[in-house]
Amino acid sequence: MTTLADLAELVRAPAALSVPGDVVAGAAAAGALSPRTPALAGASVLLYWAGMAANDWADRELDAIERPERPIPSGRVTPTAALGLAAGLTAAGVGLAAAVGGRRAAALAVPLAASIWGYDLLAKNTAAGPAVMAACRGLDVLLGASGGRLWRALPSAATVAAHTWTVTTLSRREVTGTDAALPMRTLAGTAVVAASAAIAVPGTRRAAAPAVALPAVLAGWYAARYGAAQAQVVRDPSAGKVRAAVGAGITGLPALQGALTARGGAGLLGLAVAAAAPLGRRLARKVSPT
């Protein structure tokens, strides 16, 4: 019988802590923080979980060989149940976004959902895979900005998308391991991402004086945590080290989102978003985020 723990493992529940910060960062950048922001963040989480369930459904035959302990190949969740859960979560996520954000939110939630499914079913094992996944995260940031000046959130969306490219590129070597060249490239990308998050964007609301340095501090925390994990892969490019770096990239994303939120003028909210990073690391010890 399928349990809630099995479903949590299927959708990689702890990794969802890396999702609400997308919406919050986008809303802060666009001047669109409002009571509807938490609901849009909830819609984003539903779509993320849908993507995780669809991913395992699409990979069920490969996982039977490489990861037989996963919920579907181990028999704890049937393929039909996984596909049904993915479809239901997708409908719920798009519906919630449209209900609270109207047409503008729906206009972003629909292509976001399409990109998620497109990645899982078509692009994942192609050269376009990292770019499609990066687009998913970028659209997620813009979903949060849908109630404000969307163009102001484009730099934040690009920053989160670039981070996602590094994580997705590494994740393609979680089973086989890699060589030192790949983590060196993603590490360079992480440095650029952290630097971009720390730099003020013209047109965004200025933070109060005590919080001027906060984006740089949070971006530095993100870079130190995720960068150290990638440096380990440079020294030892084994599959285990790659998986650890991917996990660090997923659980460390809230620190980057917090930096972007603070850069948008919401310093305390940025700290709250960043606080999900250590919590995500603790939960990842119980349910793998990769």
Side-chain angles (χ1 to χ4, degrees):
M1 179 179 293
T2 300
T3 66
L4 285 177
D6 296 329
L7 295 178
E9 184 178 350
L10 177 72
V11 301
R12 297 164 178 81
L17 286 172
S18 73
V19 177
D22 286 345
V23 170
V24 174
L33 287 169
S34 72
R36 75 177 189 165
T37 301
L40 287 174
S44 176
V45 169
L46 292 173
L47 290 172
Y48 183 88
W49 281 340
M52 292 296 100
N55 176 78
D56 271 26
W57 178 82
D59 282 357
R60 61 194 184 281
E61 295 180 0
L62 180 62
D63 283 349
I65 299 171
E66 295 182 345
R67 300 181 181 186
E69 73 281 0
R70 291 293 301 160
I72 295 178
S74 67
R76 289 177 287 132
V77 177
T78 67
T80 300
L83 182 60
L85 180 63
L89 288 169
T90 299
V94 172
L96 178 58
V100 299
R103 292 182 179 178
R104 293 189 70 185
L108 288 160
V110 170
L112 172 56
S115 297
I116 290 170
W117 281 85
Y119 174 81
D120 287 335
L121 302 183
L122 299 172
K124 178 168 48 182
N125 296 318
T126 72
V132 174
M133 182 55 73
C136 291
R137 281 288 191 168
L139 286 168
D140 204 29
V141 174
L142 295 180
L143 177 63
S146 59
R149 287 158 287 192
L150 199 67
W151 64 272
R152 288 191 174 181
L154 291 175
S156 293
T159 298
V160 172
H163 163 81
T164 303
W165 178 87
T166 69
V167 176
T168 308
T169 300
L170 281 171
S171 73
R172 293 156 75 93
R173 297 293 182 266
E174 283 185 306
V175 174
T176 62
T178 185
D179 55 34
L182 176 61
M184 288 178 67
R185 290 196 298 272
T186 61
L187 186 56
T190 298
V192 173
V193 166
S196 68
I199 297 172
V201 176
T204 56
R205 183 164 62 90
R206 295 285 296 176
V212 168
L214 186 56
V217 171
L218 293 177
W221 178 23
Y222 152 80
R225 170 69 182 175
Y226 184 31
Q230 291 172 87
Q232 288 287 333
V233 182
V234 174
R235 290 189 288 269
D236 176 11
S238 63
K241 294 296 184 182
V242 173
R243 283 194 294 273
V246 172
I250 294 172
T251 60
L253 177 55
L256 176 64
Q257 296 161 335
L260 295 172
T261 301
R263 189 179 70 181
L268 289 177
L269 187 55
L271 284 172
V273 169
L279 177 59
R281 287 198 296 273
R282 286 195 292 271
L283 291 176
R285 297 171 189 153
K286 299 181 180 296
V287 180
S288 173
T290 69

